[in-house]
Amino acid sequence: MTLFSQLRQMKILLIDDDEWIRDSLELYFEGEGCHLLALETAEEGIEALKEQNYDIIMVDYRLPGMDGLEFLKRIQKTQPNALKLLITAYKSEKVVSEALKIGIQDFIEKPFTTKTIEGSLARLMKNYGQGIDEGNGNHSI
């Protein structure tokens, strides 16, 4: 099963305050036939998770208001089975340590490309979900 054929069956939540990243990834995943909800703040993410669960949650570390790690701490009990990725330009030992304690399965460092996202999602699906073939796109974000 290919990455996108499996992702088409999943709900993906992206939280990033960078409008360009949100719009770009929303268009990219939509073009692949995937359901991705892109939000600007962690608070919006909390509200979205009250309406439905997501299979994959990608969240930026630095957000206005609540940061990505605090958001992930708050949703631990309600979203225990979601695959969780932290997007950051600030990958310090402290951030990594705290993220691993709260169940982050992978990190995406900024700047990134769609190939980076695909590789991360493919690893997550292989290690925590069902096995898939890694994507081979190379589109810059």
Side-chain angles (χ1 to χ4, degrees):
M1 182 176 270
T2 67
L3 175 62
F4 286 107
S5 64
Q6 189 162 3
L7 290 176
R8 284 183 200 105
Q9 301 169 31
M10 304 177 94
K11 292 182 180 92
I12 306 166
L13 177 63
L14 167 70
I15 303 171
D16 198 306
D17 61 329
D18 185 319
E19 182 178 10
W20 193 83
I21 288 175
R22 285 193 317 272
D23 290 349
S24 297
L25 287 178
E26 205 167 33
L27 286 170
Y28 180 69
F29 278 90
E30 183 179 291
E32 295 291 343
C34 300
H35 176 273
L36 179 130
L37 175 63
L39 302 173
E40 184 175 1
T41 68
E43 291 79 7
E44 291 174 331
I46 298 278
E47 291 303 310
L49 289 169
K50 289 178 183 176
E51 301 296 319
Q52 72 176 0
N53 291 329
Y54 286 84
D55 302 296
I56 298 171
I57 299 172
M58 298 185 287
V59 61
D60 192 16
Y61 170 59
R62 291 236 172 135
L63 294 168
M66 182 189 322
D67 72 29
L69 289 177
E70 180 61 30
F71 167 79
L72 291 164
K73 283 180 198 172
R74 290 190 186 189
I75 67 162
Q76 272 182 310
K77 289 183 180 163
T78 61
Q79 301 293 307
N81 298 321
L83 299 176
K84 298 169 189 85
L85 295 92
L86 185 68
I87 302 168
T88 184
Y90 307 96
K91 190 177 171 186
S92 68
E93 189 175 312
K94 180 182 175 190
V95 169
V96 170
S97 174
E98 189 172 346
L100 292 174
K101 285 179 191 173
I102 59 174
I104 303 295
Q105 286 108 344
D106 204 1
F107 297 87
I108 298 170
E109 290 189 72
K110 289 182 180 180
F112 58 85
T113 66
T114 55
K115 185 173 183 173
T116 307
I117 298 280
E118 288 177 23
S120 176
L121 291 172
R123 281 190 306 278
L124 287 177
M125 302 301 273
K126 182 178 179 185
N127 294 332
Y128 299 98
Q130 299 173 354
I132 51 90
D133 296 326
E134 291 197 28
N136 59 5
N138 194 18
H139 310 283
S140 294
I141 297 290

